[in-house]
Every structure is written in structure tokens, then in C-alpha cells.
Amino acid sequence: MKIRINALTKGQNNIELRGEGPQSGQQDIALLGPESVSGSGDFSDDALYLQLRISAPVELECSRCLESFPYQANTHLNAVYSWKKNLRNEDEDTYFELIDPEAQEIDLSQIIRESIILCLPMKPLCGENCKGLCNR
């Protein structure tokens, strides 16, 4: 998922991106469909400030019964992409990356993937009433 910098206007921009969905060779997360990203980007002379909502259908394994089940992952991402070396990130909840001033696009794929992984439950349950594995 990429944002084309030269397609942005100064000030507020609406951001709508759609991922490619499940891809072979991915080991870290099992996507059931494409990721959806929406939000806003504030484009200025020194940086692009993003506030995004991320949604993705994933497949998880229940911690009790070990059955697979679908889960809707929803999270948000605040990010700053700057091409000015003197700009620093003061907020620890915001992802910050210094990019080449000549860059034409910003690839968000990896940071979106990491945000999805971080929002997943530590002990996923297929249901509150899941009794787990039978001891027989």
C-alpha cells in the first residue's frame, strides 16, 4: 500500500487505501481478505502527518480449543514521514520515519502489517464459552 506524494495537495488530504489481501509466503499473519485503510494526511513543506484507521479480516487460532476462527482486526496508526532532518518526533505513540526528499511515494505496507499484528489479542478465543480441548 503506497501513497503517492506528488498526488497530495498542501493541507488536509483524505487517505483511502486497500491492500492486496492474502499473499503466499506470509508467515506472520493469516489475512482472510484485503486490509482497508482510511483517514487523513496533513501534507506540509516538511512532512506528511498521517492519522489512519486500519481494518483487516484475519484468521486466528483459539487458545483453548486450537480451532481456527475469523477475527476482524481494527486499529489506528499515527505516523509522520519527514524529509527534513531537523524535524524530530516527540510523541512516542507516533511512528516516525525520515525519508528521501526526492521520494515519489511512501510504502505503508510494513507498518500497517505491524500495526495489525500488534492489535491482535494475546490469547485469542473463538468464543467466550469455549471449553477447550477434551481431556479424553
Side-chain angles (χ1 to χ4, degrees):
M1 286 197 252
K2 297 178 181 179
I3 294 177
R4 296 200 43 82
I5 296 173
N6 57 0
L8 298 174
T9 59
K10 298 285 185 205
Q12 284 294 113
N13 291 269
N14 287 329
I15 307 291
E16 296 287 334
L17 302 170
R18 192 136 175 99
E20 297 175 7
Q23 298 173 359
S24 62
Q26 293 176 342
Q27 303 294 329
D28 52 1
I29 187 171
L31 288 172
L32 296 175
E35 310 96 322
S36 173
V37 177
S38 63
S40 65
D42 187 11
F43 185 59
S44 69
D45 289 331
D46 58 353
L48 174 61
Y49 301 86
L50 297 172
Q51 292 182 326
L52 304 173
R53 291 176 304 284
I54 304 166
S55 179
V58 298
E59 182 177 63
L60 299 179
E61 185 177 87
C62 180
S63 296
R64 292 182 187 162
C65 68
L66 305 179
E67 292 291 322
S68 296
F69 68 97
Y71 180 82
Q72 187 66 35
N74 295 304
T75 188
H76 69 279
L77 170 66
N78 293 328
V80 177
Y81 290 88
S82 176
W83 37 92
K84 302 276 183 161
K85 292 183 180 180
N86 60 351
L87 185 66
R88 297 286 177 235
N89 183 24
E90 303 297 326
D91 184 4
E92 62 186 46
D93 291 335
T94 300
Y95 175 78
F96 179 85
E97 186 174 330
L98 191 60
I99 61 171
D100 181 9
E102 303 299 318
Q104 298 297 310
E105 60 187 17
I106 298 171
D107 188 357
L108 300 174
S109 302
Q110 186 62 32
I111 190 65
I112 288 172
R113 187 164 213 70
E114 290 172 6
S115 295
I116 293 169
I117 291 169
L118 288 172
C119 85
L120 297 177
M122 289 180 64
K123 292 191 175 189
L125 296 176
C126 62
E128 289 296 319
N129 299 328
C130 178
K131 296 183 183 200
L133 296 171
C134 178
N135 61 0
R136 288 189 254 166

